[in-house]
Amino acid sequence: MPDANVRIPEEAKDRLAAIAAAEGLSLRAYLARLAETLLTPGERAERAERARAALKEWNGYAPTADQEQELDSELDRRLAQVTGR
């Protein structure tokens, strides 16, 4: 498989290389592993839908879109509180 060239800031490349080295990987191997493990937006949406369906089947939990938004906002608020953002 041919390699691809990706242009990123030098600081970002250095940071990724340091993370890769700490895990005993080359930057190339680390980026390949990262690409294999991250989900695309479509994959995340599909996984979320399967989770919603499983919750509904398991215990009847089926929040409305407004309830989901409220829960997301509350989670964001709590995460910001913990991280100081």
Side-chain angles (χ1 to χ4, degrees):
M1 174 184 302
D3 287 339
N5 292 319
V6 178
R7 294 180 54 88
I8 61 172
E10 188 74 23
E11 298 82 20
K13 181 198 78 85
D14 292 344
R15 179 174 171 80
L16 289 169
I19 294 167
E23 295 189 24
L25 297 170
S26 67
L27 179 55
R28 182 182 187 279
Y30 179 76
L31 291 174
R33 186 181 73 181
L34 187 64
E36 291 171 2
T37 59
L38 294 177
L39 300 175
T40 66
E43 290 167 337
R44 282 195 306 275
E46 180 183 324
R47 189 173 283 188
E49 186 53 43
R50 286 197 319 259
R52 278 189 212 87
L55 283 171
K56 185 175 182 181
E57 182 180 328
W58 176 57
N59 67 4
Y61 182 69
T64 65
D66 287 342
Q67 289 170 325
E68 285 185 19
Q69 182 58 48
E70 287 177 32
L71 292 167
D72 286 346
S73 295
E74 178 64 14
L75 179 59
D76 289 343
R77 185 190 70 74
R78 290 183 185 200
L79 287 171
Q81 185 178 20
V82 170
T83 59
R85 293 183 190 172

